[in-house]
Amino acid sequence: MSALLGLLGALLSTAHAAAHLSKAEGIVEVRHAAVGTWSPARALEQLESEDRIRTGLGAAAGISFDEGTVLQLGPDASFVVEEASEKAMRTRLDLGLLRANVQPQAAGKFELRTPTALLRVRGTDFEVRVLAGGRTLVELYQGALAVEDNLGNQTLLKPNERLQIDVRGLQAPELRPSRQQTASAGVRALARGEAALDASQERERAATDRELKLAEFQQGRALVDVTGSRVRVEEYILRPSADSFRLVVLNERGRSMNWFFYQGTFNRSLPGDLTAPLSQLSGCADRQCDWFLTEYTTGRSNLVDNVLERGVNTLGGQIDVNSNGSVNDDVSTVFDGASDRFINVAGRPVFQTIFNKFGLYVNGKLLIGKSGGNNITSDQDRLPSSVTDPITGAALTDANAWLDSTNGQLVTLAADVKTSSAEKGHQQVYNSFSDGSHIQWDNYSLNLDGKVVPRGELGGVAGDPFRRGVLNFGYEQVITSSHFQGRRIDLLVQPRILVQAGILQQ
Amino acid sequence: MVAAAAMLAWPRVSHGLETAVRAQLLGGQYFYAGQKGALSGNAALTLAPATRLTDTFTLVPVLSSSYQGTKQAVDLVGAGTIVQEQMEHRVAARGIWEPKDSRWKLKPSAGYTYTLAKETRDESWGRGLFDSWRLGLGLDAEYPARDGLAFRLGADYYYTTYPNFSSLESQAGVDPSGQPLARELAGKKTMDHHTQGVGAGATLIKGRFVLDGRLREQRSFFADQRVVDGTGILSDASREDWLTSLSGSIGMPSELNTDRRLLGHADLSVAFNRSNQASFDARRARYLPGYYDYSDVRLGVGARRLFGDPREPVTLSAGLSFARRTYPHRPPQEATGVYRGGTLSQDVRTLSLGADYPLAPAFKLLFRLDHARSSSNQDYEQVYAYNYTVTNFLFGIAYDY
C-alpha cells in the first residue's frame, strides 16, 4: 500500500520536474526518492530531487534538464539529482564517469559534487571521473569551471585543463593531454602493469627452483674446496650382498670426477637399518660386537688412477686389544657411532677387528702387503709381504705388484714421514719405497666456505683429539704418487666414515 | 597460445607501439658472517613495447635482462659461496583480450627465461652448475566486479631444465674390479622438472584500503629423479612435489591526509610443500622420509612516508618481516651431525630500509638497506649454515617510464 502511495506521489510530482532521463542503454536503474527501491529506468522518465541513477557494465545514461543542459553517464556509475528546480541544479557523482554539457543559462545554478570536490559551472563542457576511494578527475573542454575541495580551497579551471582532487584537496591544474597522448599513456600503463605481473609470476617460479638448489646445499652436494672452487658431492649406499654394504662418495671438481668407496662385509646378514652395525665399526667395550667386519675395501680414484686398500679378517672373531700383550694398540677411547662421540674405555676390554691380511694397491698393483696367521693378536704381528699377494695368495709379478728390480720382490717401505701444520690445518703422510717411488697423502680440514681450519681449532694435531675435532669439519684428501704421472686424486669427503672405520690417514 | 589469440582478434588495424621502460643501476656491498664482499653492482632493464592490435586485443612483449653482482640478504646465503654473480634474461609475450559485452579479461602468455650464475671461483658464464632455462605457458583471467572488487583465475605450465647439471651417480661407472658404483635406476637430469599450477585470487578496494587474497596449488614432477626407499636404494616411482600457497595482504595505498602522508601494508602468507621423495643420509645410514616437506609462514609489515611534491615525492620506507620455515620430518642435528629429537625449523627476521629521491621526471635516486638474522635449532653446519647474520646495501639510480 505504501509503495502504491509512493508511486502515485512520484507520478503527481512530474508536473514540477526540471530533468528527465533522455537515454538508457544497457542496465540503467533509477531509485526515486519517493519510492525508495531500484527499478529499471524508462526512457523519458522524469527525475526529481534526491532521485538516484546507477549504470551497469557497458551501460550509458543521459540526463537532460529543461533548459538544455545534458549529462552523459558512463558505465558503472552512481549519480544523484540532489535538487532539480528552477532555482538550482545540484547533482552528485559518487562513482564513475560523467560528461557534462551545461548551457550558459544554467551558469551559476549548476553544481556537481563528488566525494572530494564541488564543481560550479559557468557555461561549460567538462568530464568528471570519480574513482573508488573518492579521488576525482576533472577535465574541462570549454567554458569555465570553479572547483572547490572539501577543505574550502578553490580554483578556476580553464579550457583544456585538468585537475585531480583527493582527500588532500586540490592539486594544481595542468594541461589536458591530447586524445593521442591519453591513449598512449593508457597503453603504456597497461604494458607496465603486465611487465610487473610477469615479473611477479617469474619470481614465484624462481622460488620453486630456489628450493631445489637449497636442498642440494643443505644435503652437502654442492660445496667449496680449499681453492674456492666448486666441488660436487654425492653419497649413497649400495647393498652388494646380504652381509655387506658399500658407501660411495662421488666428487666432481671442474670437469674431473673422483670417487671414494668403503665396502664392508660383516660376520652376518645386515638389517635394513644400518645404524647398529655402523655404530660398532670401531669396536665394542667389554664384549665382542654383534656385527663385525670380516673384510673391507676402500677405493679412491680420479677415473685414471686408483688406490685400493683391502683388509681381511680370517681370525674368526675380534681381539681384546687392551689385553693382547701389545701395548702399542691399547686404546683408551672408542668412537661410539650411536652418539658420534669418543667414549672413555681405559682399563676395560675393547674388542676390535684385526685384519690379518692387508694390501694397498696402486693402479691395480700391490704396493704394500702384510699378512699374519690365524693366531695373531695384533696388527704388529703381521709381516710384510714380499713374493705373494696377502689377499689373493697369488705369486707377485710385474703385472700385479710394484716389484723392486734389484731383487724381484715387492718394494719395501723406505720412509714413513708424518707432518702436521697447526696453523694451516694441513697434515701430510709421505711414504717412499725401495725403488724410489712414493705416495703422499695431504689432508686438509675445511670450513663451510672452503677455508682451511687451523689444527688448533680441531683440538689437536693428531690422535683422538684430532679425530674428535675433524668430525666438525669437511675433509679434503689429496693423493699424489710417482705412479700417477703428475695426476692426483682429490677427494672432498665427510670424515665420519673414516673416523668410524679407523682408517683416517694421520 | 598468445599468437593464436592475436590471430583470432586480428580483424582491425593495429595501433602504434607504446613502450614501458624500467631501468635500474645500483652499486652496493654485502656483509656475511664477519666478512664483507667487494663493492659491486646490480643492473636491470625491462622493456614492454605494447600495441593494441584491435579494439579488444593488446599484445605486450616483455624483454628483461638483469645482472646481480651484489648478493641480497634474501639470497641463499647459508651455502657460504664466496663469489656470486647472476644474470637473468627473459623474453615473454603477454596478450590481453577484452571481449566486448563482457567484464572478463583473458591473458594468455608464453615466456622463456635463461638464468646464469657464477657462484664459485671456477665457474664462468654459461658454465655454472645451477644455470637453468625455463619455458612456460600461462592463461590468466580477470573479472572486475563492481565497487572495487576483482577476481582472478590462472593456470600455467612450465618446464625447467639445468643444462650443466647431471647427477654424478649417472656418470659413476664401475670400480677396478668391475663392480658398479651407481645404484640401479639412477637418473641423470635429476633436477629437471615439469610444473603445472592453478590459482585464484581476489582484490577488494575498500575506502583507503586494498585487500588481496590468493590461493595457488602446483605440482612439480621430476621424471628422472627416482624415489629413495628405506634401505637407501632407488624405487620405480619418480619424485612428485605438491605446493599449496595461500597469501593475503592489506595495503593502504592512499595517504592518511595532507599532514600525515603515510602509506602502509601488511602481508601474511603460508605455504605447504609435500613430496614423495625421501633422503638417505649415507654417512649415518639414516633414512629420512618426507625430507622435502616443509611449511612456511611469512609475516611482513611496512610503511612509507612521503614528502614534497605529491606527483614526485621523496619517499622514506621501512619494513619488518618474519619468516619461519619448518621441516616436519627433518630432525635437527648436533654440531657433529648426530640427530636429535624434534623438528628442524629456521627463523629469519629482516629489517628493510629505503629512500627514493626524485631527480627529474621518471628518474630517481634509490637507497636500500637490508639486514637479516637467521636462527635455527639446527647445529650441524658443516655443509650449510642455518645461523647467521647478513647485511647488504644498494645505492643507485632508477628510470621508470
PDB file of all heavy atoms in Angstrom, chain A residues 194 198 202 209 211 213 230 235-236 246 255 341 471 494, chain B residues 74 90 107 113 119 127 134 175 181 283 325 330 334 382:
ATOM      1  N   GLU A 194      51.491  -5.217 -17.010  1.00  0.00           N
ATOM      2  CA  GLU A 194      51.738  -6.588 -17.461  1.00  0.00           C
ATOM      3  C   GLU A 194      53.180  -7.004 -17.203  1.00  0.00           C
ATOM      4  O   GLU A 194      53.446  -8.153 -16.836  1.00  0.00           O
ATOM      5  CB  GLU A 194      51.412  -6.718 -18.953  1.00  0.00           C
ATOM      6  CG  GLU A 194      49.935  -6.726 -19.254  1.00  0.00           C
ATOM      7  CD  GLU A 194      49.177  -7.795 -18.478  1.00  0.00           C
ATOM      8  OE1 GLU A 194      49.569  -8.968 -18.530  1.00  0.00           O
ATOM      9  OE2 GLU A 194      48.196  -7.435 -17.795  1.00  0.00           O
ATOM     10  N   ASP A 198      54.224 -10.109 -14.951  1.00  0.00           N
ATOM     11  CA  ASP A 198      55.128 -11.128 -15.484  1.00  0.00           C
ATOM     12  C   ASP A 198      56.300 -11.358 -14.524  1.00  0.00           C
ATOM     13  O   ASP A 198      56.669 -12.494 -14.231  1.00  0.00           O
ATOM     14  CB  ASP A 198      55.648 -10.669 -16.852  1.00  0.00           C
ATOM     15  CG  ASP A 198      56.396 -11.759 -17.577  1.00  0.00           C
ATOM     16  OD1 ASP A 198      55.754 -12.748 -17.958  1.00  0.00           O
ATOM     17  OD2 ASP A 198      57.619 -11.633 -17.743  1.00  0.00           O
ATOM     18  N   GLU A 202      57.214 -14.733 -12.442  1.00  0.00           N
ATOM     19  CA  GLU A 202      58.532 -15.341 -12.593  1.00  0.00           C
ATOM     20  C   GLU A 202      59.223 -15.517 -11.246  1.00  0.00           C
ATOM     21  O   GLU A 202      59.925 -16.499 -11.018  1.00  0.00           O
ATOM     22  CB  GLU A 202      59.407 -14.468 -13.507  1.00  0.00           C
ATOM     23  CG  GLU A 202      59.279 -14.812 -14.960  1.00  0.00           C
ATOM     24  CD  GLU A 202      59.665 -16.256 -15.240  1.00  0.00           C
ATOM     25  OE1 GLU A 202      60.851 -16.592 -15.193  1.00  0.00           O
ATOM     26  OE2 GLU A 202      58.754 -17.074 -15.493  1.00  0.00           O
ATOM     27  N   ASP A 209      62.485 -23.154  -8.020  1.00  0.00           N
ATOM     28  CA  ASP A 209      63.832 -23.585  -8.399  1.00  0.00           C
ATOM     29  C   ASP A 209      64.824 -23.352  -7.257  1.00  0.00           C
ATOM     30  O   ASP A 209      65.754 -24.120  -7.049  1.00  0.00           O
ATOM     31  CB  ASP A 209      64.297 -22.831  -9.647  1.00  0.00           C
ATOM     32  CG  ASP A 209      63.398 -23.124 -10.838  1.00  0.00           C
ATOM     33  OD1 ASP A 209      62.671 -24.132 -10.786  1.00  0.00           O
ATOM     34  OD2 ASP A 209      63.409 -22.342 -11.797  1.00  0.00           O
ATOM     35  N   GLU A 211      64.212 -23.579  -4.160  1.00  0.00           N
ATOM     36  CA  GLU A 211      64.057 -24.654  -3.170  1.00  0.00           C
ATOM     37  C   GLU A 211      64.889 -25.873  -3.554  1.00  0.00           C
ATOM     38  O   GLU A 211      65.465 -26.539  -2.696  1.00  0.00           O
ATOM     39  CB  GLU A 211      62.587 -25.059  -3.053  1.00  0.00           C
ATOM     40  CG  GLU A 211      61.716 -24.049  -2.350  1.00  0.00           C
ATOM     41  CD  GLU A 211      62.168 -23.770  -0.937  1.00  0.00           C
ATOM     42  OE1 GLU A 211      62.697 -24.695  -0.279  1.00  0.00           O
ATOM     43  OE2 GLU A 211      62.031 -22.625  -0.497  1.00  0.00           O
ATOM     44  N   LYS A 213      67.619 -25.894  -5.300  1.00  0.00           N
ATOM     45  CA  LYS A 213      69.018 -25.562  -5.074  1.00  0.00           C
ATOM     46  C   LYS A 213      69.332 -25.595  -3.577  1.00  0.00           C
ATOM     47  O   LYS A 213      70.376 -26.101  -3.157  1.00  0.00           O
ATOM     48  CB  LYS A 213      69.236 -24.150  -5.639  1.00  0.00           C
ATOM     49  CG  LYS A 213      70.648 -23.796  -5.938  1.00  0.00           C
ATOM     50  CD  LYS A 213      70.622 -22.526  -6.767  1.00  0.00           C
ATOM     51  CE  LYS A 213      71.862 -21.721  -6.559  1.00  0.00           C
ATOM     52  NZ  LYS A 213      71.858 -20.485  -7.321  1.00  0.00           N
ATOM     53  N   ARG A 230      84.227 -25.056  -6.996  1.00  0.00           N
ATOM     54  CA  ARG A 230      83.059 -25.898  -6.739  1.00  0.00           C
ATOM     55  C   ARG A 230      83.463 -27.360  -6.616  1.00  0.00           C
ATOM     56  O   ARG A 230      84.236 -27.867  -7.436  1.00  0.00           O
ATOM     57  CB  ARG A 230      82.071 -25.746  -7.888  1.00  0.00           C
ATOM     58  CG  ARG A 230      80.927 -26.725  -7.872  1.00  0.00           C
ATOM     59  CD  ARG A 230      79.792 -26.269  -7.002  1.00  0.00           C
ATOM     60  NE  ARG A 230      79.077 -25.181  -7.658  1.00  0.00           N
ATOM     61  CZ  ARG A 230      78.237 -24.375  -7.008  1.00  0.00           C
ATOM     62  NH1 ARG A 230      78.033 -24.510  -5.722  1.00  0.00           N
ATOM     63  NH2 ARG A 230      77.600 -23.419  -7.659  1.00  0.00           N
ATOM     64  N   GLU A 235      76.627 -38.916  -2.131  1.00  0.00           N
ATOM     65  CA  GLU A 235      76.926 -40.059  -1.273  1.00  0.00           C
ATOM     66  C   GLU A 235      75.696 -40.946  -1.204  1.00  0.00           C
ATOM     67  O   GLU A 235      74.571 -40.448  -1.065  1.00  0.00           O
ATOM     68  CB  GLU A 235      77.260 -39.580   0.144  1.00  0.00           C
ATOM     69  CG  GLU A 235      78.493 -38.718   0.212  1.00  0.00           C
ATOM     70  CD  GLU A 235      78.704 -38.139   1.601  1.00  0.00           C
ATOM     71  OE1 GLU A 235      77.701 -37.825   2.262  1.00  0.00           O
ATOM     72  OE2 GLU A 235      79.845 -38.015   2.010  1.00  0.00           O
ATOM     73  N   TYR A 236      75.914 -42.213  -1.290  1.00  0.00           N
ATOM     74  CA  TYR A 236      74.779 -43.130  -1.175  1.00  0.00           C
ATOM     75  C   TYR A 236      75.286 -44.510  -0.799  1.00  0.00           C
ATOM     76  O   TYR A 236      76.498 -44.763  -0.757  1.00  0.00           O
ATOM     77  CB  TYR A 236      73.976 -43.173  -2.486  1.00  0.00           C
ATOM     78  CG  TYR A 236      74.813 -43.342  -3.719  1.00  0.00           C
ATOM     79  CD1 TYR A 236      75.149 -44.604  -4.188  1.00  0.00           C
ATOM     80  CD2 TYR A 236      75.286 -42.233  -4.409  1.00  0.00           C
ATOM     81  CE1 TYR A 236      75.937 -44.759  -5.317  1.00  0.00           C
ATOM     82  CE2 TYR A 236      76.079 -42.381  -5.541  1.00  0.00           C
ATOM     83  CZ  TYR A 236      76.401 -43.644  -5.986  1.00  0.00           C
ATOM     84  OH  TYR A 236      77.185 -43.808  -7.095  1.00  0.00           O
ATOM     85  N   ARG A 246      78.065 -50.897   0.774  1.00  0.00           N
ATOM     86  CA  ARG A 246      79.108 -50.074   0.159  1.00  0.00           C
ATOM     87  C   ARG A 246      78.671 -48.614   0.220  1.00  0.00           C
ATOM     88  O   ARG A 246      77.599 -48.266  -0.292  1.00  0.00           O
ATOM     89  CB  ARG A 246      79.344 -50.496  -1.284  1.00  0.00           C
ATOM     90  CG  ARG A 246      80.331 -49.622  -2.020  1.00  0.00           C
ATOM     91  CD  ARG A 246      80.494 -50.039  -3.467  1.00  0.00           C
ATOM     92  NE  ARG A 246      81.457 -51.120  -3.582  1.00  0.00           N
ATOM     93  CZ  ARG A 246      82.099 -51.411  -4.728  1.00  0.00           C
ATOM     94  NH1 ARG A 246      81.866 -50.705  -5.814  1.00  0.00           N
ATOM     95  NH2 ARG A 246      82.949 -52.410  -4.779  1.00  0.00           N
ATOM     96  N   ARG A 255      85.951 -30.307 -14.352  1.00  0.00           N
ATOM     97  CA  ARG A 255      85.417 -31.361 -15.212  1.00  0.00           C
ATOM     98  C   ARG A 255      85.956 -32.730 -14.810  1.00  0.00           C
ATOM     99  O   ARG A 255      85.778 -33.707 -15.529  1.00  0.00           O
ATOM    100  CB  ARG A 255      85.763 -31.074 -16.679  1.00  0.00           C
ATOM    101  CG  ARG A 255      85.089 -29.816 -17.200  1.00  0.00           C
ATOM    102  CD  ARG A 255      84.960 -29.843 -18.706  1.00  0.00           C
ATOM    103  NE  ARG A 255      84.118 -28.747 -19.138  1.00  0.00           N
ATOM    104  CZ  ARG A 255      82.808 -28.827 -19.237  1.00  0.00           C
ATOM    105  NH1 ARG A 255      82.182 -29.932 -18.911  1.00  0.00           N
ATOM    106  NH2 ARG A 255      82.102 -27.794 -19.657  1.00  0.00           N
ATOM    107  N   ARG A 341      80.459 -39.782  19.367  1.00  0.00           N
ATOM    108  CA  ARG A 341      81.426 -39.266  20.335  1.00  0.00           C
ATOM    109  C   ARG A 341      82.428 -40.362  20.671  1.00  0.00           C
ATOM    110  O   ARG A 341      82.116 -41.553  20.571  1.00  0.00           O
ATOM    111  CB  ARG A 341      80.720 -38.827  21.621  1.00  0.00           C
ATOM    112  CG  ARG A 341      79.891 -37.574  21.442  1.00  0.00           C
ATOM    113  CD  ARG A 341      79.291 -37.125  22.758  1.00  0.00           C
ATOM    114  NE  ARG A 341      78.511 -35.919  22.572  1.00  0.00           N
ATOM    115  CZ  ARG A 341      77.235 -35.893  22.177  1.00  0.00           C
ATOM    116  NH1 ARG A 341      76.596 -37.025  21.962  1.00  0.00           N
ATOM    117  NH2 ARG A 341      76.603 -34.749  22.005  1.00  0.00           N
ATOM    118  N   LEU A 471      85.622 -34.190  13.047  1.00  0.00           N
ATOM    119  CA  LEU A 471      84.219 -34.527  12.789  1.00  0.00           C
ATOM    120  C   LEU A 471      83.373 -33.295  12.505  1.00  0.00           C
ATOM    121  O   LEU A 471      82.326 -33.376  11.875  1.00  0.00           O
ATOM    122  CB  LEU A 471      83.615 -35.270  13.992  1.00  0.00           C
ATOM    123  CG  LEU A 471      83.985 -36.739  14.121  1.00  0.00           C
ATOM    124  CD1 LEU A 471      83.454 -37.291  15.418  1.00  0.00           C
ATOM    125  CD2 LEU A 471      83.422 -37.521  12.950  1.00  0.00           C
ATOM    126  N   GLN A 494      83.304 -36.324   3.850  1.00  0.00           N
ATOM    127  CA  GLN A 494      82.998 -36.126   5.263  1.00  0.00           C
ATOM    128  C   GLN A 494      83.779 -37.200   6.017  1.00  0.00           C
ATOM    129  O   GLN A 494      83.749 -38.373   5.644  1.00  0.00           O
ATOM    130  CB  GLN A 494      81.506 -36.274   5.508  1.00  0.00           C
ATOM    131  CG  GLN A 494      80.693 -35.190   4.840  1.00  0.00           C
ATOM    132  CD  GLN A 494      81.106 -33.815   5.301  1.00  0.00           C
ATOM    133  OE1 GLN A 494      81.261 -33.590   6.501  1.00  0.00           O
ATOM    134  NE2 GLN A 494      81.311 -32.887   4.379  1.00  0.00           N
TER     135      GLN A 494
ATOM    136  N   VAL B  74      68.245 -11.733   0.893  1.00  0.00           N
ATOM    137  CA  VAL B  74      67.256 -12.801   0.720  1.00  0.00           C
ATOM    138  C   VAL B  74      67.798 -13.969  -0.091  1.00  0.00           C
ATOM    139  O   VAL B  74      67.124 -14.961  -0.282  1.00  0.00           O
ATOM    140  CB  VAL B  74      65.976 -12.265   0.037  1.00  0.00           C
ATOM    141  CG1 VAL B  74      65.294 -11.258   0.914  1.00  0.00           C
ATOM    142  CG2 VAL B  74      66.314 -11.638  -1.312  1.00  0.00           C
ATOM    143  N   ARG B  90      65.104 -12.672 -20.037  1.00  0.00           N
ATOM    144  CA  ARG B  90      63.768 -13.213 -20.261  1.00  0.00           C
ATOM    145  C   ARG B  90      63.128 -12.553 -21.461  1.00  0.00           C
ATOM    146  O   ARG B  90      63.251 -11.333 -21.657  1.00  0.00           O
ATOM    147  CB  ARG B  90      62.899 -12.997 -19.020  1.00  0.00           C
ATOM    148  CG  ARG B  90      61.446 -13.427 -19.218  1.00  0.00           C
ATOM    149  CD  ARG B  90      60.715 -13.519 -17.900  1.00  0.00           C
ATOM    150  NE  ARG B  90      59.293 -13.731 -18.090  1.00  0.00           N
ATOM    151  CZ  ARG B  90      58.730 -14.893 -18.405  1.00  0.00           C
ATOM    152  NH1 ARG B  90      59.486 -15.955 -18.576  1.00  0.00           N
ATOM    153  NH2 ARG B  90      57.433 -15.000 -18.556  1.00  0.00           N
ATOM    154  N   LYS B 107      44.097 -13.354 -20.441  1.00  0.00           N
ATOM    155  CA  LYS B 107      45.501 -13.002 -20.670  1.00  0.00           C
ATOM    156  C   LYS B 107      46.343 -14.247 -20.920  1.00  0.00           C
ATOM    157  O   LYS B 107      46.869 -14.838 -19.981  1.00  0.00           O
ATOM    158  CB  LYS B 107      46.053 -12.260 -19.453  1.00  0.00           C
ATOM    159  CG  LYS B 107      45.348 -10.959 -19.146  1.00  0.00           C
ATOM    160  CD  LYS B 107      46.007 -10.308 -17.953  1.00  0.00           C
ATOM    161  CE  LYS B 107      45.480  -8.917 -17.728  1.00  0.00           C
ATOM    162  NZ  LYS B 107      46.156  -8.267 -16.598  1.00  0.00           N
ATOM    163  N   THR B 113      62.954 -18.031 -19.966  1.00  0.00           N
ATOM    164  CA  THR B 113      63.895 -17.380 -19.051  1.00  0.00           C
ATOM    165  C   THR B 113      65.193 -18.177 -19.002  1.00  0.00           C
ATOM    166  O   THR B 113      65.168 -19.403 -18.877  1.00  0.00           O
ATOM    167  CB  THR B 113      63.314 -17.325 -17.620  1.00  0.00           C
ATOM    168  OG1 THR B 113      62.042 -16.693 -17.668  1.00  0.00           O
ATOM    169  CG2 THR B 113      64.217 -16.549 -16.678  1.00  0.00           C
ATOM    170  N   GLU B 119      78.952 -18.942  -9.039  1.00  0.00           N
ATOM    171  CA  GLU B 119      78.901 -18.995  -7.580  1.00  0.00           C
ATOM    172  C   GLU B 119      80.241 -19.307  -6.939  1.00  0.00           C
ATOM    173  O   GLU B 119      80.407 -19.141  -5.744  1.00  0.00           O
ATOM    174  CB  GLU B 119      77.878 -20.052  -7.143  1.00  0.00           C
ATOM    175  CG  GLU B 119      76.472 -19.683  -7.551  1.00  0.00           C
ATOM    176  CD  GLU B 119      75.454 -20.626  -6.979  1.00  0.00           C
ATOM    177  OE1 GLU B 119      75.738 -21.838  -6.915  1.00  0.00           O
ATOM    178  OE2 GLU B 119      74.375 -20.173  -6.603  1.00  0.00           O
ATOM    179  N   ARG B 127      78.686 -21.706 -17.716  1.00  0.00           N
ATOM    180  CA  ARG B 127      79.179 -22.977 -17.188  1.00  0.00           C
ATOM    181  C   ARG B 127      78.877 -23.126 -15.706  1.00  0.00           C
ATOM    182  O   ARG B 127      79.531 -23.891 -15.003  1.00  0.00           O
ATOM    183  CB  ARG B 127      80.685 -23.095 -17.410  1.00  0.00           C
ATOM    184  CG  ARG B 127      81.055 -23.257 -18.874  1.00  0.00           C
ATOM    185  CD  ARG B 127      82.570 -23.311 -19.041  1.00  0.00           C
ATOM    186  NE  ARG B 127      82.924 -23.580 -20.424  1.00  0.00           N
ATOM    187  CZ  ARG B 127      83.123 -24.795 -20.906  1.00  0.00           C
ATOM    188  NH1 ARG B 127      82.990 -25.840 -20.133  1.00  0.00           N
ATOM    189  NH2 ARG B 127      83.452 -24.964 -22.167  1.00  0.00           N
ATOM    190  N   ARG B 134      63.983 -21.884 -18.459  1.00  0.00           N
ATOM    191  CA  ARG B 134      62.597 -22.240 -18.129  1.00  0.00           C
ATOM    192  C   ARG B 134      61.690 -21.765 -19.264  1.00  0.00           C
ATOM    193  O   ARG B 134      61.783 -20.622 -19.718  1.00  0.00           O
ATOM    194  CB  ARG B 134      62.213 -21.557 -16.823  1.00  0.00           C
ATOM    195  CG  ARG B 134      60.855 -21.906 -16.307  1.00  0.00           C
ATOM    196  CD  ARG B 134      60.665 -21.442 -14.869  1.00  0.00           C
ATOM    197  NE  ARG B 134      60.999 -20.050 -14.676  1.00  0.00           N
ATOM    198  CZ  ARG B 134      61.959 -19.603 -13.894  1.00  0.00           C
ATOM    199  NH1 ARG B 134      62.717 -20.424 -13.229  1.00  0.00           N
ATOM    200  NH2 ARG B 134      62.167 -18.310 -13.761  1.00  0.00           N
ATOM    201  N   ASP B 175      83.969 -49.862 -10.476  1.00  0.00           N
ATOM    202  CA  ASP B 175      85.266 -49.791  -9.814  1.00  0.00           C
ATOM    203  C   ASP B 175      86.263 -50.699 -10.548  1.00  0.00           C
ATOM    204  O   ASP B 175      85.885 -51.408 -11.491  1.00  0.00           O
ATOM    205  CB  ASP B 175      85.107 -50.128  -8.323  1.00  0.00           C
ATOM    206  CG  ASP B 175      84.819 -51.598  -8.086  1.00  0.00           C
ATOM    207  OD1 ASP B 175      84.964 -52.409  -9.021  1.00  0.00           O
ATOM    208  OD2 ASP B 175      84.436 -51.946  -6.951  1.00  0.00           O
ATOM    209  N   LEU B 181      79.394 -48.686  -9.379  1.00  0.00           N
ATOM    210  CA  LEU B 181      79.462 -47.653  -8.339  1.00  0.00           C
ATOM    211  C   LEU B 181      78.132 -46.907  -8.217  1.00  0.00           C
ATOM    212  O   LEU B 181      77.969 -46.075  -7.340  1.00  0.00           O
ATOM    213  CB  LEU B 181      80.567 -46.651  -8.676  1.00  0.00           C
ATOM    214  CG  LEU B 181      81.995 -47.154  -8.432  1.00  0.00           C
ATOM    215  CD1 LEU B 181      82.996 -46.270  -9.150  1.00  0.00           C
ATOM    216  CD2 LEU B 181      82.300 -47.199  -6.941  1.00  0.00           C
ATOM    217  N   ARG B 283      76.012 -41.161   5.332  1.00  0.00           N
ATOM    218  CA  ARG B 283      77.066 -41.149   6.348  1.00  0.00           C
ATOM    219  C   ARG B 283      76.604 -41.773   7.646  1.00  0.00           C
ATOM    220  O   ARG B 283      77.358 -42.391   8.363  1.00  0.00           O
ATOM    221  CB  ARG B 283      77.486 -39.712   6.638  1.00  0.00           C
ATOM    222  CG  ARG B 283      78.463 -39.180   5.657  1.00  0.00           C
ATOM    223  CD  ARG B 283      78.631 -37.705   5.872  1.00  0.00           C
ATOM    224  NE  ARG B 283      78.204 -36.999   4.664  1.00  0.00           N
ATOM    225  CZ  ARG B 283      77.739 -35.768   4.660  1.00  0.00           C
ATOM    226  NH1 ARG B 283      77.609 -35.103   5.795  1.00  0.00           N
ATOM    227  NH2 ARG B 283      77.391 -35.210   3.532  1.00  0.00           N
ATOM    228  N   ARG B 325      60.397 -21.266   8.663  1.00  0.00           N
ATOM    229  CA  ARG B 325      60.369 -22.453   7.806  1.00  0.00           C
ATOM    230  C   ARG B 325      60.482 -23.667   8.733  1.00  0.00           C
ATOM    231  O   ARG B 325      61.403 -23.740   9.547  1.00  0.00           O
ATOM    232  CB  ARG B 325      61.531 -22.391   6.826  1.00  0.00           C
ATOM    233  CG  ARG B 325      61.851 -23.675   6.078  1.00  0.00           C
ATOM    234  CD  ARG B 325      60.767 -24.046   5.119  1.00  0.00           C
ATOM    235  NE  ARG B 325      60.595 -23.098   4.039  1.00  0.00           N
ATOM    236  CZ  ARG B 325      61.211 -23.179   2.860  1.00  0.00           C
ATOM    237  NH1 ARG B 325      62.055 -24.161   2.632  1.00  0.00           N
ATOM    238  NH2 ARG B 325      60.980 -22.293   1.923  1.00  0.00           N
ATOM    239  N   ARG B 330      62.275 -33.530   9.335  1.00  0.00           N
ATOM    240  CA  ARG B 330      63.730 -33.482   9.475  1.00  0.00           C
ATOM    241  C   ARG B 330      64.071 -33.237  10.935  1.00  0.00           C
ATOM    242  O   ARG B 330      63.763 -32.168  11.468  1.00  0.00           O
ATOM    243  CB  ARG B 330      64.344 -32.336   8.668  1.00  0.00           C
ATOM    244  CG  ARG B 330      64.342 -32.533   7.205  1.00  0.00           C
ATOM    245  CD  ARG B 330      65.190 -31.443   6.544  1.00  0.00           C
ATOM    246  NE  ARG B 330      64.724 -31.194   5.204  1.00  0.00           N
ATOM    247  CZ  ARG B 330      65.235 -30.288   4.387  1.00  0.00           C
ATOM    248  NH1 ARG B 330      66.242 -29.533   4.784  1.00  0.00           N
ATOM    249  NH2 ARG B 330      64.745 -30.115   3.181  1.00  0.00           N
ATOM    250  N   GLU B 334      73.006 -32.274  16.081  1.00  0.00           N
ATOM    251  CA  GLU B 334      74.062 -31.615  16.856  1.00  0.00           C
ATOM    252  C   GLU B 334      75.172 -31.195  15.898  1.00  0.00           C
ATOM    253  O   GLU B 334      75.171 -31.579  14.732  1.00  0.00           O
ATOM    254  CB  GLU B 334      74.608 -32.576  17.908  1.00  0.00           C
ATOM    255  CG  GLU B 334      73.589 -32.919  18.972  1.00  0.00           C
ATOM    256  CD  GLU B 334      74.128 -33.911  19.983  1.00  0.00           C
ATOM    257  OE1 GLU B 334      75.325 -34.241  19.898  1.00  0.00           O
ATOM    258  OE2 GLU B 334      73.347 -34.352  20.829  1.00  0.00           O
ATOM    259  N   GLN B 382      78.151 -28.156   8.825  1.00  0.00           N
ATOM    260  CA  GLN B 382      79.332 -28.471   8.015  1.00  0.00           C
ATOM    261  C   GLN B 382      79.108 -28.132   6.552  1.00  0.00           C
ATOM    262  O   GLN B 382      80.047 -27.797   5.835  1.00  0.00           O
ATOM    263  CB  GLN B 382      79.651 -29.964   8.117  1.00  0.00           C
ATOM    264  CG  GLN B 382      80.419 -30.339   9.346  1.00  0.00           C
ATOM    265  CD  GLN B 382      80.789 -31.809   9.346  1.00  0.00           C
ATOM    266  OE1 GLN B 382      80.867 -32.439   8.311  1.00  0.00           O
ATOM    267  NE2 GLN B 382      80.997 -32.349  10.515  1.00  0.00           N
TER     268      GLN B 382
END
